[in-house]
Every structure is written in structure tokens, then in C-alpha cells.
Amino acid sequence: MIKVMLVDDDAPMFRFLRSLIPWEEMGLQIVATAQSGIKALQLFKELMPQLVITDIGMPKMDGIELANQLRQIKSDVRIIFLTCHADFHFAKKAVQVSADDYLIKDELTSDMLKQSIEKSVKLMGLLHSENTVYREEFDRNSDILKKAFWKQILSGDHSEIVLNSGRRLGIDWKDPYFLLGMFHLDFASLIRRYGLQDKQLIYYAVYNITRELASDVNGLSVFANDELELYVVMNYQRNLAVNAQEDFRRFASDLKSKVEHYLKLSSYFVLSYEFNRLSVFPRVFEELKVYNRGLYYDSSSFQVMLPREVRTFTNTFNPKGEIFKETLLQKFRDHDFEGFVAEMKHLAKRLLADQPTPSSIMIHLSQWVRLIEYEAGYEIDRTLFYQGLESTIRLQELLQSINERIQRMISDGSDLGSSGMDQQKLQLIDRYIMEHLSVTISLVSIANHIYLNPSYFSRFFKKMTGVNFTDYVNQFKMNLALQMLRNKEMSVELIAAKLGYSDRTYFSKVFKKYNGISPVDYKNKDRNSK
């Protein structure tokens, strides 16, 4: 029997999971249940289950942290995640670094649970068929070993010892031909959608999406950088029936699409020319990096390098006088973000015309942003921001990253400003809710409406109102429901639909939560009082 532990802070979930599948008939024994990550950790040490099915969103110790702790104790434990957060758009890919599957509670069926468990059991069989001690050591160090292998290849060490270490990692370059690709995650789109503290998690999510896609293409290997770049190598034999470059293009296109779909992030991909000797790998890698730098003023997201195709810039960006810098500073002082963006567009046109060296642009623009930060006394995520800014590879990426930073600073300044500014924003939010009563209003949609970063808007709104955004919208709609219920010609079903609740039962539940009485009882009470 395979020992299973269930972890969820909602006790009824255990009964639901037990009822979904015939556990014992499938060779599974639920040896423990825990309603917190801390308790689960304690029981795990005592019982050592092979499979843990755990909720993600738990207080004190969430499911992701629990999974990391469990793997330190037992590296081959299988993990399946459960969550209610269907809109947690990057979790599904991010958590696969340490989990076999990700299941949304509201959508969970017996077939889905059965398939996920069968997948985990299959992986257990593969792991136990190998030497356990070696496997545990390998799992702990595979990423480190892979980085070491990549570093040796780039250094020109292509000895049989190095190649054998690659084979143990699943990288068997036995064919003569190679293609090399560089994938870069757009920093501006990242800070627009997420907090800078989430950068590493997002990067691992992208890494995992890339590896998942690469597993479906013969001869494809993925290597991680320390920043926002990934390197992809295709090793292949020429074949009239297979077009390797076309396969690589299709892979790159799929990767960009999935990153856009799951994470809402932009990216850039450059592909090398074909080469047929491992000995020239370091040279091609350096040529591709130089070629990529030459695309600084290019806006396209996919490019293929031609042999010996290198472009360099010789002009130096040297803005004359202090007028432009002072104009930007004044726009910031006036909280005129639209004016700031307009000035940056003027700058972009000038830079596109002159095409100075990227490094000279970086020096001046980062100095200007630091000056604005210094005057505003703004230090939030400063180190993380400049690390990301220095990794930008396109002009549009650099300028948009600065715009995002300035917008965040202006928004934070508003947060620290007068209550009148808070009231003005609240009026915009109320108006938006009134105009979208019949649909579900997400935090992201309202944040975009008032030009704020979603993660920042969440914190800003809680500080401004004392409640989270979902509670505020529900309370707003329930206040309107009270007024509508006084109209005897409007049914509860009609009111629910007008307020964006397609299910009457759920509407009644929300109404009672905020008003302490069911809508039917309130309607009858109001009728009797007349």
C-alpha cells in the first residue's frame, strides 16, 4: 500500500477527497490528515508517506513552503497541490518545480484526482527502480550539475568526461548538428504584472514551462542563467523528412505564446545559425550574444542570426544641458505620469534616430531615475529594480521599465498624500463598479482601469479602505441589493443577475454574510413592515 497524507485547513475537504476515489482499491492508504503545514510536517516525520496532497493557501506555512520542507526530509516524496485560487495564473507552472500536478478544488472531479495520483505512482516506480541513494543525491544537485556542465561546454571543455556527465543529466549530444537559442524575459512586463520580490519565482515558472515544452522535441536541452535568460540547444541529425530550424522556430513560438498566456509576460528569442562541431560552440555563443546586443533598437520578438552577422554602435548618448532631465523631474513632482511618458516617447524617437551605444543610454537614464528616487526619498525594491534594469536588452524594454518604476513611485506618493486623493480614487472605483454591476469584477481589471500595478493596488486599496477589494465589491453590491429588494416587482433571481451573480444560492449566501439575513427573509420583512 502507498501511504498518503492529506493537508488542508478546511476539514470538509478531507471528506470530499475520501469520497472521490476508491483509495484502498487503488492501493492507497490515507495514513494522516493535517489542517496546517506545521502539523503536516510533524506527522510526515513520524509516518513518512510517499504521497502528499496539500492545499497551497494555508496560514503560517503555505503549501509551497511545506513541499520544500518535505523534500528536504524525503527527496522522492510525490506532491500534488490543491487550491481555490483559479486566478493564481503563474502558480500552475511555478509549483511544478516540486509537484506532480496542480488541481483547482472547484473543478476537481474523481477522474482528475485519479489521473494525478496515477501519474505520481508511476513516477514513484521510476524512482525506486534506480539506486535510491544516488537518486536522492542527484535530485538535490541536478540544477547545480547542469549549470556546471553548461559552464564547461562554454569554456571549451568537451572531453568525454564532461559529455558523460551530460548524459547522466539526460543531455546526450550524439548528433553532429546544433542550433542555439537565447530566450529573454521582458523586465518591463514582469514589473507591470508582479512585484519585484516575485522575480525569481516567475523566472522558475518560465524555466519549467520551457523544460516542459522541450521534453516534446527531440534533442532539445534547456539551461538556466542567473538573470532573466534561458539558453536552448537543439542537437540533431539532418533529415530530409525533418526541418530542424522549423521545429526550433515552432518551439520558440509556442514558448512565447505559453509565457504570454499563463504569465502575461512578453519575451524575446534569438536563434543562431546552424553549426556542426561542438568545438565551435563557445564561439557561436559569443557571436549570438553580440548579435543580440545589436538588436537593441529592434522591436521584433524573434530573430534568426546569419553567419558573421554582427552589428555594433559607435555613437555615445550625451544629452546637452539639463533641460530634459529637469523636465522629467518636474513631471514627477507634478504627479503628471502621462506627461512623463510623453517626454520619454520624445526621447525614444531621438535615440532611435541617433542609435547611441546602449551602455551610454543606461548610464544617463539610470542616473536620472536615481535622482528622482533621491528627491522623493523612495527606496522600495531599489536594488532589485536596478539589477533588472541592467539586464534589459532592448530600448523599448528599458524605457518601459523606467515608466513602470515612475508610475509606481507616483502611485506610492499618492498613497502617502492627502485623504482627498484617496477619495478621488475611491470615486473612480465606485463608478467602475456601477458601470460593471452585471459582471465579475477582478482586481486586475480595476487596477488596469486606474493605471496601477495589481499587486500594489491590492496593498493600496487595503490601506485606503481597511478591507480587501473582493469584500469591498461584495459589500457595495449588497448595499444595492438592499435597495432593489424593496421593489416588490423585482425577484431575487433578477436582482442576483443584475448584480453579476449567476447562481441564486451563492447570491443568497453572500447577501446573508454581509447583511445577517437572507434576501427572501429581508424582502418579506420589508413587505410586512409596510
Side-chain angles (χ1 to χ4, degrees):
M1 297 287 281
I2 294 173
K3 294 190 292 185
V4 181
M5 180 168 69
L6 307 179
V7 186
D8 200 297
D9 59 351
D10 184 15
M13 193 63 192
F14 298 142
R15 292 194 296 273
F16 176 65
L17 290 173
R18 288 179 185 274
S19 69
L20 277 181
I21 58 173
W23 294 84
E24 292 189 359
E25 291 180 20
M26 292 177 63
L28 307 166
Q29 179 186 7
I30 300 176
V31 296
T33 59
Q35 288 186 251
S36 71
I38 295 172
K39 182 64 175 177
L41 194 59
Q42 176 187 338
L43 291 172
F44 185 85
K45 292 175 182 177
E46 296 172 4
L47 301 169
M48 287 293 176
Q50 293 115 306
L51 172 63
V52 176
I53 302 175
T54 177
D55 187 19
I56 289 181
M58 298 184 294
K60 294 185 179 178
M61 180 187 290
D62 63 29
I64 295 176
E65 183 180 356
L66 172 64
N68 289 330
Q69 294 267 14
L70 299 184
R71 286 205 180 280
Q72 291 179 22
I73 299 169
K74 185 174 173 23
S75 65
D76 61 347
V77 63
R78 310 316 307 174
I79 306 288
I80 295 174
F81 280 128
L82 296 170
T83 184
C84 291
H85 305 299
D87 59 344
F88 186 31
H89 42 262
F90 64 84
K92 183 172 182 180
K93 295 301 172 184
V95 300
Q96 284 179 350
V97 173
S98 58
D100 295 336
D101 213 342
Y102 171 99
L103 301 172
I104 298 171
K105 292 180 182 179
D106 297 337
E107 302 174 359
L108 186 59
T109 64
S110 58
D111 286 341
M112 291 167 65
L113 181 60
K114 186 181 293 185
Q115 288 172 12
S116 291
I117 291 176
E118 287 173 351
K119 175 182 175 181
S120 294
V121 171
K122 183 178 179 181
L123 288 169
M124 285 180 207
L126 290 173
L127 287 173
H128 286 296
S129 66
E130 299 179 306
N131 182 278
T132 303
V133 175
Y134 167 77
R135 197 68 215 170
E136 289 180 355
E137 185 69 19
F138 178 82
D139 287 343
R140 281 194 295 269
N141 297 295
S142 60
D143 281 343
I144 296 173
L145 293 171
K146 203 171 183 182
K147 284 185 177 181
F149 170 78
W150 180 243
K151 186 175 181 180
Q152 287 172 304
I153 290 296
L154 293 181
S155 71
D157 184 354
H158 308 141
S159 63
E160 195 60 28
I161 294 175
V162 171
L163 296 179
N164 278 332
S165 70
R167 294 184 186 107
R168 288 194 293 272
L169 293 164
I171 306 166
D172 189 8
W173 289 342
K174 60 182 182 296
D175 293 320
Y177 292 96
F178 291 89
L179 288 171
L180 170 63
M182 287 184 180
F183 177 87
H184 176 82
L185 200 60
D186 181 83
F187 182 61
S189 64
L190 187 147
I191 60 178
R192 184 184 309 121
R193 299 286 304 184
Y194 307 99
L196 281 167
Q197 297 293 338
D198 297 327
K199 184 178 79 168
Q200 203 60 33
L201 178 61
I202 300 300
Y203 175 70
Y204 277 119
V206 174
Y207 178 52
N208 225 56
I209 293 173
T210 311
R211 289 198 304 174
E212 182 180 304
L213 284 173
S215 66
D216 294 330
V217 182
N218 290 332
L220 221 56
S221 305
V222 182
F223 301 91
N225 189 12
D226 292 331
E227 287 301 326
L228 296 175
E229 287 183 344
L230 299 173
Y231 308 118
V232 186
V233 178
M234 175 177 271
N235 178 233
Y236 58 96
Q237 179 70 53
R238 278 183 175 174
N239 190 323
L240 292 176
V242 178
N243 188 325
Q245 285 196 346
E246 188 57 38
D247 287 346
F248 209 139
R249 281 175 177 270
R250 191 178 301 111
F251 163 80
S253 177
D254 288 346
L255 175 57
K256 285 179 58 58
S257 296
K258 287 191 178 296
V259 169
E260 173 67 30
H261 175 72
Y262 287 115
L263 305 178
K264 312 302 179 190
L265 297 176
S266 302
S267 57
Y268 304 96
F269 199 103
V270 292
L271 176 62
S272 75
Y273 53 82
E274 180 185 77
F275 55 102
N276 62 356
R277 295 193 313 277
L278 192 57
S279 60
V280 302
F281 204 113
R283 190 195 76 202
V284 176
F285 178 77
E286 290 302 321
E287 286 180 3
L288 191 60
K289 285 173 63 178
V290 173
Y291 171 74
N292 196 29
R293 286 196 293 269
L295 297 173
Y296 191 75
Y297 296 98
D298 197 299
S299 59
S300 59
S301 59
F302 183 87
Q303 290 280 5
V304 179
M305 178 186 181
L306 298 175
R308 305 295 180 185
E309 183 181 0
V310 175
R311 183 181 182 185
T312 58
F313 307 105
T314 57
N315 296 335
T316 300
F317 177 50
N318 186 20
K320 297 177 181 179
E322 298 291 315
I323 297 177
F324 185 75
K325 180 172 66 175
E326 288 299 323
T327 300
L328 289 179
L329 187 57
Q330 191 58 51
K331 296 295 182 185
F332 174 78
R333 288 168 180 158
D334 295 338
H335 284 199
D336 181 6
F337 179 66
E338 291 185 2
F340 187 94
V341 171
E343 292 298 327
M344 292 294 280
K345 287 180 178 178
H346 292 318
L347 174 64
K349 290 180 179 178
R350 174 182 168 184
L351 294 173
L352 285 169
D354 297 342
Q355 297 199 357
T357 60
S359 59
S360 65
I361 299 173
M362 177 68 71
I363 289 171
H364 286 284
L365 266 62
S366 61
Q367 285 178 348
W368 295 347
V369 179
R370 288 179 190 276
L371 175 65
I372 294 173
E373 287 180 336
Y374 179 77
E375 177 166 309
Y378 193 82
E379 298 182 357
I380 297 175
D381 294 335
R382 177 181 289 175
T383 301
L384 290 173
F385 173 73
Y386 286 103
Q387 286 175 349
L389 199 68
E390 290 175 2
S391 71
T392 56
I393 62 170
R394 300 288 186 270
L395 176 65
Q396 61 186 12
E397 181 189 10
L398 172 70
L399 298 181
Q400 189 57 45
S401 297
I402 291 173
N403 287 344
E404 294 293 337
R405 181 68 168 175
I406 296 301
Q407 181 184 28
R408 173 69 182 272
M409 291 169 64
I410 290 174
S411 299
D412 284 356
S414 298
D415 187 19
L416 298 172
S418 67
S419 59
M421 180 64 72
D422 290 350
Q423 191 60 37
Q424 184 181 9
K425 286 194 184 303
L426 201 54
Q427 288 172 359
L428 286 173
I429 293 166
D430 288 351
R431 188 182 309 134
Y432 185 90
I433 297 172
M434 283 296 295
E435 292 172 354
H436 298 80
L437 282 178
S438 62
V439 298
T440 301
I441 300 171
S442 70
L443 183 144
V444 172
S445 65
I446 188 67
N448 289 337
H449 178 67
I450 60 176
Y451 306 104
L452 290 180
N453 175 280
S455 60
Y456 167 71
F457 171 74
S458 179
R459 296 192 302 272
F460 167 80
F461 189 88
K462 183 69 179 288
K463 185 173 182 179
M464 182 172 64
T465 64
V467 297
N468 65 44
F469 181 71
T470 300
D471 282 337
Y472 183 87
V473 173
N474 283 332
Q475 182 65 71
F476 187 99
K477 289 188 175 185
M478 291 310 104
N479 288 339
L480 290 176
L482 287 172
Q483 300 174 33
M484 292 178 176
L485 285 167
R486 296 190 182 104
N487 184 340
K488 62 182 181 180
E489 295 182 3
M490 293 187 71
S491 66
V492 173
E493 288 82 2
L494 179 59
I495 293 170
K498 284 182 173 291
L499 294 177
Y501 298 93
S502 58
D503 181 71
R504 171 181 167 153
T505 302
Y506 180 67
F507 167 71
S508 298
K509 182 180 178 181
V510 175
F511 184 94
K512 189 170 184 179
K513 175 183 176 181
Y514 290 93
N515 295 310
I517 188 173
S518 73
V520 173
D521 289 342
Y522 180 85
K523 196 173 184 68
N524 291 335
K525 178 182 176 183
D526 183 68
R527 186 184 297 117
N528 293 334
S529 66
K530 295 178 180 178

